Amino acid sequence: GVTGVQTCALPIYSGGTLVEAGEVIVKSVSALGVGGLEVAAGAKATFDVGRNTVKLTFITFNGLVDLGEASMTVASGLTSSSLVAAIAAGRGDGSWNGSQGIASSAAAAAMAARDLRAIGWNENGDGSFTIAYTAPGDTNLDGQLDILDAANFVKGGRFDTNGDATW
């Protein structure tokens, strides 16, 4: 028989995750391991990790990624233009009801309750991106629109210049 406490060191899952059909609900920030995430057309990956961050080495999606209230940091596989296109597709008709791209069921519920919420993103300076459920105009993705965001508007030099911003 086994007595006492037994421990076992399990290796960290290092492969990528492919969602070919149906829906995969991610309930832990480490559930996808240290690999990437691929979501096929018609499939869905839903993050149910609260306001925590899921870290991915890469992401490709022809289906839908639902952030819920989470954020994700993606090391590769995105450009600013592909990311904006994915968020626009997920936004759908403006109520976050898209069938592909990056959406947020939490933003959809907030919008239905007339609480403005959205998905924002930042380039991290190393080729990676952070994408998060947040308030519109939240430049640092902390969930609020505050004086720090106003400072980022001014510091960015893009306020009312018709130029593109990277936050």
Side-chain angles (χ1 to χ4, degrees):
V2 176
T3 60
V5 176
Q6 301 293 315
T7 60
C8 173
L10 296 174
I12 295 175
Y13 171 59
S14 61
T17 301
L18 169 61
V19 183
E20 291 183 310
E23 179 179 14
V24 169
I25 299 173
V26 178
K27 295 240 179 212
S28 166
V29 295
S30 60
L32 299 175
V34 294
L37 175 63
E38 297 180 61
V39 183
K44 182 178 181 181
T46 299
F47 294 172
D48 184 11
V49 297
R51 292 190 183 239
N52 295 304
T53 302
V54 174
K55 294 181 180 178
L56 301 169
T57 55
F58 69 90
I59 189 168
T60 59
F61 43 84
N62 294 311
L64 182 67
V65 175
D66 178 356
L67 285 181
E69 292 184 343
S71 62
M72 68 177 165
T73 298
V74 181
S76 65
L78 292 174
T79 64
S80 57
S81 60
S82 70
L83 179 54
V84 169
I87 293 171
R91 190 167 185 259
D93 67 5
S95 62
W96 298 103
N97 64 346
S99 60
Q100 70 179 55
I102 301 173
S104 169
S105 55
M111 292 289 289
R114 299 189 185 274
D115 178 17
L116 296 179
R117 292 288 162 193
I119 294 174
W121 62 278
N122 281 328
E123 286 186 61
N124 297 325
D126 60 359
S128 70
F129 290 86
T130 298
I131 305 106
Y133 165 79
T134 193
D138 179 14
T139 63
N140 57 2
L141 303 179
D142 66 356
Q144 315 175 56
L145 185 58
D146 55 23
I147 192 67
L148 296 175
D149 299 305
N152 284 337
F153 291 145
V154 173
K155 178 181 169 189
R158 307 275 184 176
F159 186 74
D160 204 19
T161 64
N162 294 323
D164 292 333
T166 60
W167 29 258

